[in-house]
Amino acid sequence: MSAFPLRLEQQRKLFLVVSGISTAGSFAGITAKGWILLHGSADPFVLALNFAALSLPSLIVSGPAGVRTDRLGCERVLVQAQWALLAAAALGALAIPLLEGMAQVLLLLFSTLLVGIAGAFELTARNKYCSLLVDEPEQLAGYLASFSVVFNVGKLVGPPIGGWLVAIAGPAWALGIDATSYLLPIASVMFLLQPRRDLEQRSDGKAGATLLKAWRDCGGTLRGVLTLTAGLCVVNFFHPGLAPLIAEQVLGPDPRDLGLFTSVLAAGSIAGGVVLQRNSARLSSRPFLTLGGFALITAIAQLGMASTSSVGISLGMTFLIGAGTAGLLSSCNLITQIGAPQVMRGRMAGLSQIAFLGGGGLSGLLAALLVMATSLSSTFAITGAIGAVLALLWIV
């Protein structure tokens, strides 16, 4: 415990900053790992499999993560998950100097799988933890939206760091930074932050405190939000897994090109997050218009990617894809957290992860199969058209 307790406002800022730094390190590692897998296998399906290993565990473990968070307390689960993330990322860093060829690829994929499992617990607990750092309940919407912006700032600066480290010092440095960056949030939560633990409501641990009960009790609006998000993510949310392939075709094969591409994507994510942050109360009160609007932006941008060969226009469409996707995911998280009672917010965070990370993982695999069967531009055209139709239907 800190000898000089911080005010809640200071604690919120500190948690945002250390989480952003950790995110930057994580995306430096993701960039390096994607580049290694692309040039080690030259197979787009391996890239999609890597993203699926990161996101698909949410389909299995987000439910138990939400139940565990509501039963044991979000702070305890958060610290445990952060230590697990550190160990999983360190395993990926060790794969570079110790192994080569297919053995290295397999260990990197296994590391990503472990990160995906631990990350599902971390994100679930972190969402509920944020509600203990606000002075008034009305501040939660703005704080969660601010958290999304800072997260995407980390996504912006991390990829170029990863690209430069791969080019200058080798991928092991990028993966090593990814691992050590988790020490900052661990130290802050354990020694500096003092949330309002008295406000946390835990479930009683009985059979009624389950994920299924949370789904039934959350209401028709929140169930619709989760269903819509899952469907849209299956169609539209595939670009993270195929980012190295897209960057190579749009810009070039240099790892710094991948860093530039993912930075533009992250810049769009920041823009989407800022829009949501500044209008959080108004947008969260109209959930289907908000979700459908962000999804429509993503779909139109994918159609634009399919119809152009211009580098400048492609990067512009990449920016819009980032904005639309970030807005969709952040809106789902924001709406489900605000709309649910405190006692089930851990489980609602788990359901949200199942919707957008599980949907995104499945989408990456489907998109990779489409790329292999047709081409990247055809894949953009197909998914963009389907996404636009779904978004318009929900908006109407």
Side-chain angles (χ1 to χ4, degrees), residues 220-258:
T221 298
L222 294 188
R223 285 195 297 270
V225 166
L226 292 167
T227 302
L228 173 59
T229 302
L232 290 171
C233 284
V234 168
V235 175
N236 285 103
F237 189 65
F238 71 84
H239 52 83
L242 296 181
L245 178 65
I246 301 171
E248 186 173 74
Q249 294 196 19
V250 172
L251 298 176
D254 192 279
R256 285 165 289 191
D257 293 326
L258 175 58

Side-chain angles (χ1 to χ4, degrees), residues 116-156:
I117 294 172
F121 281 87
E122 194 268 347
L123 181 57
T124 299
R126 188 178 64 198
N127 272 295
K128 190 171 185 178
Y129 187 78
C130 287
S131 67
L132 307 183
L133 292 176
V134 296
D135 297 287
E136 302 293 339
E138 293 77 15
Q139 296 176 326
L140 181 58
Y143 184 52
L144 287 174
S146 298
F147 203 94
S148 174
V149 173
V150 172
F151 175 83
N152 286 309
V153 170
K155 287 172 60 179
L156 175 65

Side-chain angles (χ1 to χ4, degrees), residues 69-151:
T69 295
D70 283 337
R71 289 179 178 176
L72 300 184
C74 55
E75 186 175 18
R76 179 179 176 184
V77 176
L78 180 62
V79 173
Q80 292 173 344
Q82 288 171 339
W83 280 113
L85 283 167
L86 172 61
L91 182 64
L94 292 174
I96 306 302
L98 297 181
L99 299 173
E100 295 181 354
M102 185 54 65
Q104 184 184 85
V105 170
L106 291 176
L107 186 57
L108 287 172
L109 291 175
F110 181 64
S111 168
T112 301
L113 178 65
L114 295 180
V115 169
I117 294 172
F121 281 87
E122 194 268 347
L123 181 57
T124 299
R126 188 178 64 198
N127 272 295
K128 190 171 185 178
Y129 187 78
C130 287
S131 67
L132 307 183
L133 292 176
V134 296
D135 297 287
E136 302 293 339
E138 293 77 15
Q139 296 176 326
L140 181 58
Y143 184 52
L144 287 174
S146 298
F147 203 94
S148 174
V149 173
V150 172
F151 175 83

Side-chain angles (χ1 to χ4, degrees), residues 154-176:
K155 287 172 60 179
L156 175 65
V157 302
I161 291 174
W164 279 101
L165 284 174
V166 171
I168 297 173
W173 277 94
L175 297 183

